[in-house]
Amino acid sequence: MSGCSAGSSAAPCRFAHYFVICGIDTETGLEPDQLAGENFEQSPLKRTFKSKVLAHYPENVEWNPFDQDAVNMLCMPKGLSFRTQTDRRDPQFHSFIITKEDGSRTYGFVHTFYEEVTSPQICSAMQTLYQMHNAEHASANPPTSSSSSSSSSSSSMDSLAGGYDSSRDTLYVSKALCLITPMPFMHASRRLLSQLHRAVTAATAPPLPLESYVYNILYEVPLPAPGRSLKFHGVYEPIVCQRPGLGELPLADFSLAEAFCLLGLENLIQVFTCTLLEMQILLYSQDYQRLMTVAEGITTLLFPFQWQHVYVPILPASLLHFLDAPVPYLMGLQSKEGTDRSKLELPQEANLCFVDIDNHYIELPEDFPHLPNKTEFIQELSEVLLRFGISPNTGAPPRTRACPDDGRNGNLAGEELAVLELLQENVTLERLHALTKRTGVTVARMETLRGKVKAQSAECQGGLTGAEKDELKNAKLNIQLREVFASRFTTMFADYEAFVIQSAPDLESWLTNREQMHNFDKASFLSDQPEPYLPFLSHFIETQMFATFIDNKIMSQWEEKEPLLRVFDTRIDKARLYNVQRAPSLRSSIYQRCSNLKESAQAIEQRLMKIDHTAIHPHLLDMKIGQGKYEQGFFPKLQADVLNTGPINNKWSHRSATAQQKKGRHIQQTEHLSLDNDLKEKYMQEARNLGKNLRQPKLSDLSPAVIAQTNWKFVEGLLKECRMKTKRMLVEKMGWEAVELGHGEANITGLEENTLIASLCDLLERIWSHGLQVKQGKSALWSHLLHYQAREERLLDHHMLYLSLTVSHVPERRKSDCSIAMPSVRVSLIQDMRHIQSMSEIKTDVGRARAWIRLSLEKKVLSQHLKQLLSRQALTKNLYKRYAFLRCEEEKEQFLFHLLSLNTVDYFCFTSVFTTIMIPYRVVIIPIKKLSNAMTTSNPWVCVSGELGDSGIMQIPKNVLEITFDCQNLGKLTTVQLGHDNAGLLAKWLVDCVMVRNEITGHTYRFPCGRWLGKGIDDGSLERVLIGELVLSSGEEDSGRCCRTPPLQRSPSQTRRIKPTSAQIQEAIGEAVNNIIKHFHKPEKERGSLTVLLCGENSLVAALEQFFHHGFKSSRLFQKTVFVWDFVEKAVIYMESADQMGDLQETAEPLGMTCQSLCHYVNAINSTPRNIGKDGKFQLLVCLGARDRLLPQWLPLLVECPVIQQMYEDIALLRDRTTVNALIGVLETLHDFPITLEASLIKCIDL
């Protein structure tokens, strides 16, 4: 919240808005706090009782209305606590924050101490509760005759140890003093509250009545101006605070040193990364101030970004149901003393970062990317911490005692101080110490501690007290740590402005179309980043905090810049000035250290050493005499009439009021010129909350209606998020088709696709964790699936007999039948679960749930599976509360419909991620029965290849046309090698095609053949390399998809019914070469199979075959077909014989070398042990020539060879010099690209 925000008076520029006192209401007495989780088994002193706001001054502030319930709840989150004279009653300090619905924040600082209970009613009520408690325990554990004496003695010991007897014990109850401020001046507020408490406990009355000091801080102490420091006076000592200038990092007074010590540097960076990626962060500690310190520390370091989701650093016990929120959150939960982490029931943990502050321990979500340059970043932060004497690796020991804030012990840790006080107060120990000293022995620890105290007292005689020196040191360390973080973002996003899309002509049109607009060119931004940054950045640019940052940037062309954005842009401009030689957009992954640590620390030191402004001293007020009388140990009842109204005027209030009026007039004018104010506010709220599923939880109202409304907001938010995510996934996957339909940018990289799918997995986990009755396991979705599986398998056992009877009536298709085809896969949710459960690589429930989602998405059954899962309504009712998303019928249907839309695009998100798993494959060979025997007497074999490897050669048993084999994931399938050994009488085989199916994903590939395998028939091939195409399932064909990804190409077939014209042939060659060039211009992860472009239908080989067949004399001579390979062989024989006779010796040297290379390649292909046939050999020659950039050199040799006249007609394209030269030019364009050939194509070729 800015210090001087809109208001009609000076008051927004006041240091504090309210002074509040919370404690026990003696009129209502002891009220158990049921919302805080009452435990009647505990002794009454340990139970929680309701606290009340006893007084607050002033009554109300117009621009910041007093929220009584929220303040009471956060001042005393555990309610009242009682003690007796035997218990420790050290004062405690903690802070809190109230975030309003518009995102503005108010800070609260609380000093809690114990005050003696003087009300006889309260004391007797506590006594009665103890008697009831003891009676219940006695009846629950009746003593046996043998142990009655021992048990009665133990119960009396219990009452002595922790019991309460009004005749013997003094009862104390907690009371809280709270200061509510618009800005986080934590140290100043803490010192003021501590001095007010000291004034009450001191032996003598304070110099002035307490009303004077409270009035002074509420009405006479202003906020420091930006870039200035302020001194005001507490009860005993002056207090100094400072505020950063407009160009500096915003105010942050919470100790980052403490946050780093509590978590350790490595852990804090991990939690910070989770926060940047908007995961659910749950902080856990016994100490409220630790929760606040870590939460504020982490959010402070986000500059220039801001946390956009639920932010409750201290979650009161009455609001525990907010942990059920299916949205990103940053919350702090108080741990009860002695409770174990394992007993903490959290609704969902799939995307949770759990931070146990007291034990310096964190639990991280699975699979999240690391911050770029993490090692160097940690090294730089370590150096800063070490310069201030803080070890980056060790967490602080659990705090045992609160440090009194008197400036006497600034640098002593609580534990050390406790030891020193114990030694100093104990006379016996003092004597022992003196005795050891006389004998020449010293107690090292004692001497060190005394030395520290002496050093500090010496410091106090200098310019600053120990506390002030501590504060200065803390402020300098804070700013230097923050500068290192800010420098990282300045480096990472130095060129972000170049990728902001400014598409709207004015603010109104931008706000109304905000949801449809693309504001940031993500694909171009990522392509401009260093490779190591991509995993993190691709996730981060999808977050709400980044989207809001870009929105603020776009709105800054019509409005005043948001303060954080203004500071960040100034830093980027400054960095560019200092670094002019660096070209924009030229990114480097070299770590750049922060360069302005010294200057930032000096600015703070100058402000704290040279005070710019001193506030009015506290003074006597016009009060009734006798009220507010001093009584040691009791905070008096203050006079409300003098504290509820401030001064009529003073210099700073008048000045700031005038400024506010001017600002108000200016705002009114600009609003009148641009938009109607109400309409603008509506648009602004909608635009700023786009993607935010819920604003801050309202702490003040916990009625069932409000809780129901909050849950309804969750449901609406989840549905909206699902719609946005599925739309984004579709638009990105459709690429240019989506651009033509007006959906913004194209191009999706494999990395970005993975990010979007991971984001969908996270959303599904959050939906499944909303409204759970009882949490089981870390993944709510997988837990639901397991319940479903157990139920279905029980039903399956009951119906097994019936199913076996039904199946036996289905006529079994004979495997050798000519109409054999791939048996259809039954869509089964349970079967898909079993596949995932059998994957030993996945160790956790969260991992299994994500793998199951990816598999379902790839199989296009995600919506269908989830619909089936939710169709068991009895199970859903058993697992989920009534308000859960999964029990809202209409929203659930819309959610499933959004997921169904993802079936229109192809994903390989399971196959491409789980590359090492074993997958069962089914191969079916389909012969052409009409023209030949379906069976062969020879021994057939098959080898399946994909993008990730091949299966190796597998023998097929005779007379079997279907086999199944297990193999490590082959990825997308590309080729099948099919052959036989030519044994027996029927050694000829006419194969129509081969079908191969991945039995887990259900992806089926068809490898067309349509050719003979056998000696003396067709081209004499005993082995063929077939190119695959992905077959659509029948359901997909029926749906007639309009935006399907193009299918992979077929292998060439010899049957060419329609002879293409010369123009069509030339066009086909150009198209084939163009496709190969486009392949290399795509990002590597998107390229797919090059084999298809080289050897499939419409490929380079197919086009060159047509070129060589044009005008070819392939008429049968004595029933023998002539092939293009025959022409190549004859040409090579001619060249070799001419070379031996010396005819080629006169040709130019390069031509001679080319001639030798052609002969060498053809002979190597002919001498291979593989029987790939004449067409197969020609295909191999083209592929090798393209790979080794020799095709354009070989063509002239074939054209010049006299053999061409015997085998080609005059009209042949190969005999047209102009056409051949054009072909050579086209083929030469492939020389710029590194063509690599699949192992299945070039196996056994020795060059």
Side-chain angles (χ1 to χ4, degrees):
M1 180 194 268
S2 64
C4 297
S5 54
S8 58
S9 71
C13 287
R14 293 193 331 215
F15 181 89
H17 287 173
Y18 292 100
F19 178 76
V20 187
I21 304 161
C22 293
I24 191 164
D25 186 347
T26 49
E27 290 179 14
T28 57
L30 289 182
E31 284 186 82
D33 192 352
Q34 284 155 350
L35 284 170
E38 184 56 55
N39 185 358
F40 289 105
E41 288 181 11
Q42 287 185 323
S43 64
L45 278 180
K46 290 184 179 176
R47 292 179 197 168
T48 50
F49 297 93
K50 281 185 184 173
S51 61
K52 293 273 172 72
V53 172
L54 302 177
H56 66 279
Y57 313 102
E59 197 63 42
N60 204 39
V61 175
E62 185 187 335
W63 58 92
N64 183 12
F66 187 72
D67 189 338
Q68 182 155 314
D69 291 330
V71 171
N72 177 44
M73 206 181 277
L74 292 166
C75 278
M76 296 188 138
K78 281 189 295 191
L80 297 169
S81 60
F82 286 90
R83 299 278 189 278
T84 64
Q85 76 284 355
T86 58
D87 301 311
R88 290 184 68 164
R89 301 185 304 281
D90 303 318
Q92 297 290 330
F93 173 82
H94 79 270
S95 336
F96 64 80
I97 190 168
I98 296 176
T99 308
K100 298 181 187 167
E101 288 205 11
D102 63 357
S104 62
R105 292 177 173 183
T106 304
Y107 293 85
F109 302 100
V110 186
H111 182 93
T112 307
F113 60 97
Y114 285 90
E115 200 173 72
E116 187 181 332
V117 178
T118 53
S119 161
Q121 292 91 339
I122 302 289
C123 292
S124 63
M126 183 59 75
Q127 173 100 30
T128 306
L129 284 172
Y130 254 99
Q131 287 166 352
M132 289 166 65
H133 175 71
N134 290 336
E136 279 171 21
H137 264 260
S139 62
N141 307 305
T144 58
S145 56
S146 62
S147 64
S148 61
S149 59
S150 65
S151 73
S152 62
S153 66
S154 71
S155 68
S156 66
M157 284 295 288
D158 178 55
S159 65
L160 277 170
Y164 171 68
D165 183 342
S166 58
S167 61
R168 180 193 67 215
D169 298 320
T170 308
L171 190 64
Y172 295 87
V173 68
S174 55
K175 181 174 266 190
L177 306 180
C178 172
L179 201 61
I180 291 177
T181 67
M183 296 188 79
F185 289 107
M186 193 266 289
H187 286 95
S189 302
R190 182 174 191 163
R191 292 181 68 192
L192 177 78
L193 292 170
S194 173
Q195 288 185 40
L196 284 171
H197 179 231
R198 249 171 78 197
V200 170
T201 53
T204 54
L208 293 168
L210 291 183
E211 284 86 346
S212 296
Y213 303 106
V214 173
Y215 183 90
N216 181 250
I217 195 68
L218 286 177
Y219 300 112
E220 295 173 334
V221 177
L223 279 174
R228 296 281 184 266
S229 55
L230 168 78
K231 181 158 101 177
F232 63 93
H233 292 267
V235 183
Y236 300 108
E237 295 149 10
I239 296 165
V240 175
C241 60
Q242 59 86 31
R243 185 172 168 190
L246 294 174
E248 297 175 59
L249 294 176
L251 176 69
D253 209 21
F254 289 87
S255 169
L256 284 175
E258 190 180 347
F260 276 89
C261 285
L262 286 169
L263 293 186
L265 180 49
E266 175 84 28
N267 280 352
L268 189 131
I269 295 299
Q270 297 281 52
V271 177
F272 177 70
T273 309
C274 290
T275 311
L276 281 172
L277 299 176
E278 294 187 339
M279 295 173 174
Q280 292 180 322
I281 319 287
L282 183 62
L283 309 175
Y284 193 60
S285 172
Q286 283 190 48
D287 188 322
Y288 292 121
Q289 186 59 12
R290 285 184 175 185
L291 293 173
M292 193 72 186
T293 299
V294 173
E296 279 291 289
I298 286 168
T299 51
T300 297
L301 297 172
L302 293 173
F303 169 87
F305 308 103
Q306 292 169 286
W307 181 255
Q308 298 294 319
H309 300 277
V310 176
Y311 181 63
V312 189
I314 297 174
L315 187 68
S318 53
L319 287 182
L320 283 182
H321 62 277
F322 261 92
L323 291 174
D324 197 17
V327 291
Y329 59 66
L330 203 168
M331 298 201 223
L333 185 63
Q334 201 225 9
S335 59
K336 294 194 174 83
E337 202 170 341
T339 53
D340 187 17
R341 154 74 180 106
S342 59
K343 290 174 187 165
L344 184 64
E345 285 291 327
L346 299 173
Q348 81 130 341
E349 296 183 44
N351 206 38
L352 180 75
C353 173
F354 180 81
V355 185
D356 187 341
I357 298 172
D358 300 338
N359 296 310
H360 328 300
Y361 160 75
I362 60 172
E363 287 174 22
L364 295 168
E366 292 178 26
D367 304 328
F368 77 97
H370 290 297
L371 209 60
N373 298 115
K374 182 182 162 193
T375 310
E376 297 94 327
F377 186 41
I378 285 177
Q379 179 60 36
E380 186 177 7
L381 289 167
S382 300
E383 290 168 18
V384 174
L385 289 167
L386 288 167
R387 277 201 295 273
F388 285 84
I390 294 168
S391 166
N393 301 320
T394 55
R399 220 186 298 174
T400 53
R401 182 188 174 101
C403 308
D405 191 5
D406 56 2
R408 188 167 51 82
N409 58 308
N411 283 324
L412 286 189
E415 196 180 333
E416 291 177 334
L417 193 72
V419 171
L420 184 63
E421 285 180 359
L422 175 71
L423 293 171
Q424 287 174 333
E425 289 166 12
N426 193 309
V427 181
T428 313
L429 286 174
E430 280 287 338
R431 281 180 185 165
L432 276 170
H433 183 241
L435 185 66
T436 54
K437 225 174 172 184
R438 279 202 299 274
T439 56
V441 180
T442 56
V443 182
R445 178 98 189 264
M446 182 77 175
E447 292 305 314
T448 310
L449 295 176
R450 282 177 192 255
K452 282 189 182 180
V453 172
K454 277 180 187 169
Q456 281 178 17
S457 60
E459 277 178 2
C460 292
Q461 276 132 35
L464 294 174
T465 64
E468 284 169 343
K469 284 203 168 185
D470 254 11
E471 209 167 306
L472 175 60
K473 177 185 170 186
N474 187 62
K476 286 164 76 173
L477 174 57
N478 259 22
I479 196 66
Q480 291 199 3
L481 290 169
R482 292 172 68 203
E483 286 290 353
V484 175
F485 278 82
S487 169
R488 287 304 301 128
F489 288 124
T490 309
T491 307
M492 258 191 276
F493 294 96
D495 301 324
Y496 86 95
E497 211 170 332
F499 304 98
V500 176
I501 301 168
Q502 307 270 14
S503 52
D506 55 65
L507 180 60
E508 186 176 358
S509 63
W510 182 81
L511 289 169
T512 46
N513 298 306
R514 167 69 190 85
E515 201 168 322
Q516 285 75 42
M517 285 188 174
H518 280 267
N519 294 334
F520 192 72
D521 186 352
K522 293 174 181 174
S524 302
F525 174 76
L526 289 174
S527 68
D528 198 36
Q529 303 307 311
E531 187 72 30
Y533 287 21
L534 294 178
F536 171 78
L537 286 175
S538 63
H539 280 75
F540 179 67
I541 62 174
E542 296 295 332
T543 59
Q544 185 61 40
M545 73 174 79
F546 185 76
T548 304
F549 173 75
I550 297 299
D551 286 353
N552 287 338
K553 179 66 183 174
I554 291 170
M555 286 195 285
S556 69
Q557 62 189 316
W558 302 295
E559 293 187 333
E560 192 181 345
K561 258 190 189 176
E562 195 268 334
L564 295 185
L565 178 67
R566 185 182 63 240
V567 176
F568 187 63
D569 281 354
T570 307
R571 284 166 173 252
I572 287 176
D573 294 341
K574 193 175 170 186
R576 283 202 190 114
L577 280 174
Y578 284 128
N579 207 0
V580 178
Q581 74 274 13
R582 174 172 162 263
S585 303
L586 183 67
R587 304 304 306 236
S588 158
S589 60
I590 297 166
Y591 186 76
Q592 293 179 34
R593 295 172 76 88
C594 180
S595 56
N596 61 332
L597 294 181
K598 208 170 182 181
E599 298 91 315
S600 58
Q602 279 172 349
I604 282 188
E605 188 166 8
Q606 282 167 7
R607 279 199 291 270
L608 286 174
M609 298 300 281
K610 180 180 172 291
I611 305 302
D612 297 302
H613 180 71
T614 303
I616 300 168
H617 280 244
H619 51 86
L620 273 172
L621 302 172
D622 185 11
M623 285 169 56
K624 294 173 189 167
I625 296 169
Q627 282 199 350
K629 195 173 69 176
Y630 175 75
E631 189 179 349
Q632 188 181 0
F634 294 92
F635 199 86
K637 185 175 181 181
L638 303 178
Q639 290 190 31
D641 51 349
V642 293
L643 293 179
N644 277 333
T645 50
I648 304 305
N649 62 349
N650 59 35
K651 279 182 187 176
W652 62 267
S653 69
H654 178 71
R655 193 166 62 243
S656 57
T658 314
Q660 291 299 326
Q661 284 160 8
K662 282 182 186 171
K663 189 176 176 186
R665 280 200 297 273
H666 171 69
I667 288 169
Q668 281 178 345
Q669 286 167 358
T670 54
E671 283 170 352
H672 179 70
L673 289 171
S674 60
L675 274 173
D676 172 66
N677 194 24
D678 292 341
L679 179 68
K680 178 176 176 180
E681 189 54 39
K682 175 175 170 278
Y683 282 144
M684 295 288 275
Q685 277 302 339
E686 284 178 2
R688 291 200 170 108
N689 287 294
L690 186 73
K692 293 187 204 174
N693 300 320
L694 174 90
R695 299 180 195 174
Q696 281 302 112
K698 197 164 172 59
L699 302 181
S700 54
D701 190 353
L702 290 171
S703 64
V706 169
I707 291 172
Q709 187 185 359
T710 304
N711 278 304
W712 184 245
K713 280 185 184 175
F714 284 151
V715 170
E716 284 182 325
L718 287 169
L719 185 61
K720 184 176 184 180
E721 193 178 345
C722 180
R723 177 168 57 82
M724 301 283 280
K725 274 194 166 63
T726 49
K727 179 184 172 183
R728 176 82 201 281
M729 287 171 76
L730 283 173
V731 168
E732 295 287 11
K733 192 70 175 167
M734 286 161 68
W736 285 112
E737 282 185 54
V739 175
E740 285 159 14
L741 294 169
H743 288 296
E745 73 219 279
N747 291 337
I748 180 166
T749 63
L751 190 82
E752 202 171 343
E753 179 182 310
N754 219 22
T755 304
L756 293 174
I757 290 167
S759 173
L760 177 70
C761 293
D762 164 44
L763 172 65
L764 292 180
E765 279 292 0
R766 285 190 279 120
I767 285 174
W768 254 259
S769 65
H770 181 234
L772 264 177
Q773 296 273 20
V774 180
K775 183 191 152 257
Q776 296 169 347
K778 287 201 172 182
S779 166
L781 173 57
W782 190 250
S783 173
H784 193 170
L785 285 165
L786 289 174
H787 277 105
Y788 175 86
Q789 184 183 26
R791 187 179 178 283
E792 292 301 301
E793 284 175 348
R794 280 198 304 274
L795 287 173
L796 196 65
D797 291 341
H798 294 154
H799 293 89
M800 193 56 85
L801 181 62
Y802 169 75
L803 285 173
S804 63
L805 289 170
T806 313
V807 171
S808 65
H809 285 99
V810 178
E812 195 176 346
R813 186 177 283 170
R814 285 166 57 214
K815 293 206 172 152
S816 58
D817 190 347
C818 66
S819 60
I820 188 164
M822 186 69 76
S824 62
V825 180
R826 189 169 65 89
V827 175
S828 166
L829 189 159
I830 301 288
Q831 191 57 48
D832 286 349
M833 282 187 69
R834 286 177 184 151
H835 286 314
I836 301 302
Q837 286 163 328
S838 68
M839 289 165 61
S840 58
E841 295 83 354
I842 304 174
K843 310 292 183 192
T844 64
D845 284 353
V846 174
R848 290 183 192 99
R850 290 186 174 184
W852 183 84
I853 292 167
R854 284 176 175 275
L855 177 58
S856 304
L857 194 58
E858 185 165 324
K859 292 178 77 168
K860 305 192 179 190
V861 290
L862 181 59
S863 179
Q864 185 181 340
H865 275 353
L866 293 178
K867 188 174 183 178
Q868 190 180 343
L869 177 66
L870 297 171
S871 66
R872 302 290 184 257
Q873 291 186 351
L875 177 61
T876 310
K877 280 182 182 175
N878 192 27
L879 293 176
Y880 289 92
K881 295 168 186 164
R882 181 65 198 91
Y883 63 78
F885 181 95
L886 297 177
R887 290 188 63 187
C888 300
E889 291 304 317
E890 194 176 324
E891 285 69 26
K892 184 176 73 179
E893 287 302 317
Q894 289 183 53
F895 157 71
L896 292 171
F897 178 75
H898 291 315
L899 291 182
L900 186 64
S901 66
L902 295 176
N903 288 7
T904 55
V905 288
D906 297 326
Y907 283 103
F908 286 88
C909 50
F910 180 85
T911 307
S912 59
V913 168
F914 300 102
T915 54
T916 59
I917 61 169
M918 296 300 286
I919 289 181
Y921 291 92
R922 184 186 295 265
V923 180
V924 176
I925 298 158
I926 301 175
I928 301 177
K929 175 103 184 229
K930 292 172 189 172
L931 303 177
S932 80
N933 288 352
M935 291 294 121
T936 173
T937 56
S938 57
N939 301 298
W941 56 267
V942 71
C943 175
V944 182
S945 300
E947 290 178 353
L948 301 176
D950 66 58
S951 64
I953 289 175
M954 295 175 294
Q955 297 296 328
I956 305 170
K958 284 186 184 179
N959 299 330
V960 170
L961 294 177
E962 184 179 323
I963 63 165
T964 306
F965 65 92
D966 285 350
C967 176
Q968 187 169 310
N969 187 357
L970 299 174
K972 292 181 193 173
L973 301 186
T974 50
T975 61
V976 158
Q977 292 162 255
L978 182 69
H980 63 79
D981 64 357
N982 203 41
L985 296 171
L986 296 172
K988 295 171 187 175
W989 202 13
L990 182 58
V991 176
D992 177 42
C993 67
V994 177
M995 306 287 285
V996 182
R997 183 171 69 211
N998 178 324
E999 293 290 271
I1000 291 182
T1001 65
H1003 283 317
T1004 305
Y1005 294 83
R1006 185 171 183 271
F1007 296 85
C1009 178
R1011 303 286 294 269
W1012 285 94
L1013 283 88
K1015 285 283 185 189
I1017 192 165
D1018 203 332
D1019 65 345
S1021 171
L1022 292 180
E1023 171 192 336
R1024 294 204 183 277
V1025 178
L1026 310 177
I1027 312 301
E1029 62 176 358
L1030 185 61
V1031 178
L1032 291 179
S1033 66
S1034 56
E1036 286 178 56
E1037 286 168 349
D1038 294 343
S1039 65
R1041 301 180 311 155
C1042 56
C1043 52
R1044 177 169 65 80
T1045 322
L1048 301 180
Q1049 304 304 316
R1050 298 175 181 79
S1051 46
S1053 168
Q1054 178 140 26
T1055 50
R1056 298 180 185 83
R1057 292 183 183 131
I1058 303 167
K1059 284 193 175 180
T1061 64
S1062 57
Q1064 287 170 331
I1065 291 169
Q1066 290 176 70
E1067 190 182 333
I1069 291 170
E1071 188 66 29
V1073 170
N1074 197 25
N1075 285 337
I1076 293 170
I1077 292 169
K1078 282 197 282 189
H1079 167 89
F1080 283 104
H1081 279 290
K1082 288 179 186 173
E1084 201 168 335
K1085 289 181 179 176
E1086 295 175 47
R1087 287 179 183 172
S1089 171
L1090 182 60
T1091 308
V1092 170
L1093 302 177
L1094 290 171
C1095 307
E1097 191 175 46
N1098 306 324
S1099 65
L1100 182 64
V1101 169
L1104 287 176
E1105 266 188 344
Q1106 288 181 352
F1107 186 87
F1108 275 87
H1109 271 283
H1110 188 264
F1112 185 58
K1113 299 174 182 176
S1114 59
S1115 57
R1116 292 168 180 268
L1117 303 172
F1118 309 108
Q1119 299 298 306
K1120 188 180 178 187
T1121 307
V1122 182
F1123 292 87
V1124 173
W1125 185 252
D1126 294 321
F1127 161 65
V1128 175
E1129 280 185 320
K1130 284 183 179 179
V1132 166
I1133 289 165
Y1134 169 80
M1135 289 174 209
E1136 286 177 337
S1137 62
D1139 189 28
Q1140 287 163 10
M1141 292 169 68
D1143 291 356
L1144 285 175
Q1145 287 173 2
E1146 297 169 14
T1147 57
E1149 183 65 30
L1151 196 62
M1153 292 294 292
T1154 305
C1155 183
Q1156 285 175 20
S1157 73
L1158 177 61
C1159 297
H1160 175 59
Y1161 274 68
V1162 171
N1163 292 330
I1165 290 168
N1166 272 330
S1167 59
T1168 176
R1170 293 169 66 187
N1171 292 293
I1172 53 176
K1174 292 180 179 178
D1175 280 351
K1177 289 175 180 179
F1178 178 75
Q1179 175 175 285
L1180 189 51
L1181 183 69
V1182 171
C1183 291
L1184 290 169
R1187 183 192 70 180
D1188 299 338
R1189 301 180 174 88
L1190 294 169
L1191 277 181
Q1193 297 170 31
W1194 289 344
L1195 272 174
L1197 292 175
L1198 295 172
V1199 171
E1200 296 295 333
C1201 183
V1203 177
I1204 198 169
Q1205 292 162 13
Q1206 302 164 23
M1207 302 190 74
Y1208 279 88
E1209 296 165 8
D1210 292 344
I1211 57 157
L1213 287 173
L1214 200 58
R1215 294 182 69 176
D1216 181 346
R1217 289 299 176 89
T1218 312
T1219 309
V1220 170
N1221 288 337
L1223 175 60
I1224 289 168
V1226 169
L1227 292 174
E1228 280 175 343
T1229 59
L1230 295 176
H1231 289 187
D1232 298 333
F1233 307 103
I1235 291 174
T1236 52
L1237 301 177
E1238 245 185 69
S1240 60
L1241 292 175
I1242 54 171
K1243 203 185 285 181
C1244 304
I1245 300 294
D1246 182 14
L1247 291 172

